[in-house]
Amino acid sequence: MKRIAMILSLALLASPVFAADLCSENLQKIDQSMQTTNRSETVQEQAMRLQEKAAQAQQAGNDKACVAMTEKALRLLKSSASNS
């Protein structure tokens, strides 16, 4: 029982660090994706808006919101690339 509690405690402590890393990584992926693939202007603008909001959330220390917005932008970019 103590082992399970310790594992859960470590997981909870590590999750903010993981979210911060994932946020930064996703922001870089968005940059790379926007530079390498042609997309419609609408998709580009939507992804850029999400990227800006994610960066603002990251600066405010809200890594969970940053991850959520970057993942949404990456899904948008991926779906538009597969539709082309």
Side-chain angles (χ1 to χ4, degrees):
M1 193 68 162
K2 288 182 183 180
R3 222 181 244 165
I4 293 172
M6 185 171 20
I7 290 171
L8 289 175
S9 296
L10 289 173
L12 290 174
L13 290 173
S15 65
V17 173
F18 175 73
D21 290 345
L22 185 58
C23 176
S24 296
E25 186 178 311
N26 284 351
L27 285 169
Q28 290 176 352
K29 285 180 183 178
I30 293 169
D31 281 337
Q32 292 169 349
S33 180
M34 301 256 296
Q35 292 173 4
T36 58
T37 310
N38 292 331
R39 292 185 174 75
S40 73
E41 205 172 301
T42 305
V43 170
Q44 292 267 123
E45 288 175 8
Q46 290 174 342
M48 286 175 58
R49 268 191 247 116
L50 286 166
Q51 184 183 27
E52 289 170 4
K53 288 181 181 180
Q56 290 171 355
Q58 183 184 37
Q59 289 175 349
N62 191 349
D63 293 321
K64 288 183 180 181
C66 178
V67 170
M69 285 182 242
T70 56
E71 287 181 351
K72 186 175 181 178
L74 288 169
R75 282 192 305 271
L76 176 69
L77 292 168
K78 184 179 179 180
S79 69
S80 71
S82 62
N83 290 338
S84 299

